[in-house]
Amino acid sequence: GAVVSQHPSRVICKSGTSVKIECRSLDFQATTMFWYRQFPKKSLMLMATSNEGSKATYEQGVEKDKFLINHASLTLSTLTVTSAHPEDSSFYICSARDRKGHTEAFFGQGTRLTVV
Amino acid sequence: GIQVEQSPPDLILQEGANSTLRCNFSDSVNNLQWFHQNPWGQLINLFYIPSGTKQNGRLSATTVATERYSLLYISSSQTTDSGVYFCAVGGRGSGNTGKLIFGQGTTLQVKP
């Protein structure tokens, strides 16, 4: 299957700082990537759809100014958590689909963010 | 939007036992995937199965799209099968961009 790499896998930051998480498709091109958030012992919740070369589409209730998404190339999307607060601590995970239209999604390893 | 329900929420098995996990969804889909989330959080793709039946070793899955459900079978379970199993679907609607809606998961514990 296709490989999606996410970096970093774990990050600890201070309140008020910003954190950037990268999501790369290693062996395919992805016009669309997705960012999810998972709370402990809960399911994955879609935050936003990242579109190459255009603005991201955010799900209802997700603050676009808090969670900045950039999809500058066909293999890279970034999520920046701005002015992080302890309640932003969570597990963030990205997925990507092959631009060729195959609908199967592949996921990165996830990033565990802790804001202290 | 599409609703996804998984059952049972928790399952405890003795090693060697078989199990069936169920996923019900509320609308037509063009994507259905089963995942196993390992202890480190990574989602392992088990099956891409919007319809039909597939098998991979001790695991198999069946999706009956017309009746809006999918089943994941685990045979001869091993302790390494423990973890959370998620079903996720993508809708056929005009606004579908390929995003997945996840069920709440089934937490499986296999005891030696």
Side-chain angles (χ1 to χ4, degrees):
Chain A
V3 179
V4 177
S5 177
Q6 194 171 333
H7 177 81
S9 58
R10 187 180 294 267
V11 59
I12 300 172
C13 70
K14 292 184 177 181
S15 288
T17 62
S18 296
V19 174
K20 180 184 286 187
I21 302 169
E22 293 186 347
C23 179
R24 294 181 183 273
S25 55
L26 297 188
D27 52 1
F28 66 99
Q29 293 183 326
T31 52
T32 308
M33 292 185 176
F34 305 90
W35 289 95
Y36 296 81
R37 181 174 182 176
Q38 185 179 29
F39 291 101
K41 299 190 184 300
K42 297 292 185 182
S43 186
L44 280 76
M45 180 188 73
L46 179 67
M47 298 175 64
T49 301
S50 172
N51 304 298
E52 187 268 335
S54 64
K55 291 183 178 180
T57 304
Y58 291 82
E59 296 298 304
Q60 191 172 7
V62 177
E63 299 177 61
K64 61 181 181 181
D65 294 331
K66 157 70 78 175
F67 300 101
L68 299 180
I69 291 172
N70 182 274
H71 194 152
S73 77
L74 287 172
T75 59
L76 174 64
S77 174
T78 60
L79 169 68
T80 301
V81 183
T82 63
S83 187
H85 291 284
E87 57 264 32
D88 298 324
S89 299
S90 193
F91 188 66
Y92 295 88
I93 188 165
C94 70
S95 77
R97 283 176 48 194
D98 192 320
R99 69 178 300 191
K100 294 177 183 176
H102 304 147
T103 55
E104 184 175 7
F106 296 90
F107 283 77
Q109 306 95 313
T111 297
R112 192 162 303 280
L113 170 64
T114 303
V115 184
V116 298
Chain B
I2 291 180
Q3 306 297 313
V4 183
E5 294 185 0
Q6 289 185 243
S7 60
D10 300 282
L11 186 58
I12 300 175
L13 298 176
Q14 207 65 35
E15 197 169 30
N18 302 327
S19 63
T20 301
L21 282 58
R22 187 176 180 102
C23 172
N24 292 334
F25 44 96
S26 62
D27 205 345
S28 299
V29 299
N30 66 357
N31 182 5
L32 189 146
Q33 294 183 238
W34 283 97
F35 300 92
H36 178 208
Q37 188 167 38
N38 67 21
W40 297 271
Q42 180 153 17
L43 289 174
I44 308 299
N45 286 40
L46 297 178
F47 293 103
Y48 166 67
I49 188 166
S51 64
T53 298
K54 291 185 178 179
Q55 181 162 3
N56 184 4
R58 296 182 296 104
L59 302 181
S60 63
T62 295
T63 297
V64 184
T66 53
E67 298 187 20
R68 299 181 183 169
Y69 73 88
S70 183
L71 302 173
L72 176 68
Y73 305 96
I74 304 174
S75 65
S76 304
S77 58
Q78 301 176 358
T79 56
T80 51
D81 294 332
S82 297
V84 184
Y85 289 81
F86 286 107
C87 167
V89 305
R92 285 186 177 277
S94 59
N96 174 42
T97 60
K99 63 185 180 183
L100 291 177
I101 306 301
F102 279 76
Q104 292 303 306
T106 293
T107 301
L108 173 65
Q109 182 183 0
V110 181
K111 294 186 173 182

